[in-house]
Each structure stands twice: as structure tokens, then as C-alpha cells.
Amino acid sequence: KGLQAITRAIWERGGIVSTVCHGYCGLLNTRLSDGNLLVAGKRLTGFSWTEEVLAGVAKKMPYNAEAEMKRRGALYEKGFIPFTSYAVADGRLVTGQNPGSAKATAEKVAAFL
């Protein structure tokens, strides 16, 4: 709840919200002051379920973050090839798919600034 409050405050003050890899899990239940989910209708990415499976950790994960994002109305995207750099900017929401996407995500944030 603390992370959600910080994220909501940044977003509602006009700031950039950015995540890389599993960081997008922190956005799953972030609601704005109007009650809408931050991710609803937004293009974003994060570690894909395919990557969880290929990394051999899917059975250890408490949930499928990709599916949960889609369930909340996010317009989830992923790169065609797993574990390659892929970043998405939807206005002030900037996300990277996996650790290899950190540079591309940072470049999108910097370009926005």
C-alpha cells in the first residue's frame, strides 16, 4: 500500500512512473484518486510469462504477472524474442520488459524529460 501511495502521488503530480522487469508488479493494484487502476488502458511491459517459463521459475511464482496485468485492463506488450531489450512508453508510464531493457527504458525516460 505504501508503494501504491507513492506511485499514485508521483502520477497525479505529473511525474513519470517507470519500472523494469518484475517492477511492474508494483503497479498491479495502484488506484488513482478517481478509483481507476493506473494501468487500465495503458501500454506497458514487464517480465513475460514466457521468460518465467524459460528461466525455469514459473512454478515458483505466486502469480502470472503478465496475465494479471491484462486482467486489469493493461495493454501488455512484449518483445518477439524473449530476454531481449524491449521498452514501452505510454505518456508518462515507461516500462522495460527485463533486466536487459534497463538502458532502453532509461533512454525513454530521459527523452521524456
Side-chain angles (χ1 to χ4, degrees), residues 16 18 20 85 87 89 94 100-113:
I16 299 167
S18 182
V20 174
S85 179
V94 184
S101 307
K103 180 179 179 184
T105 304
E107 288 171 344
K108 286 184 180 293
V109 170
F112 186 81
L113 295 172

Side-chain angles (χ1 to χ4, degrees), residues 56-94:
V57 297
K59 291 180 181 178
K60 297 177 183 179
M61 298 306 294
Y63 55 86
N64 178 334
E66 177 182 338
E68 290 300 315
M69 275 296 176
K70 291 175 183 176
R71 198 167 70 81
R72 286 163 175 77
L75 306 175
Y76 179 86
E77 301 177 12
K78 61 184 173 184
F80 181 71
I81 301 171
F83 303 110
T84 60
S85 179
Y86 189 78
V88 175
D90 188 343
R92 296 180 290 116
L93 180 61
V94 184

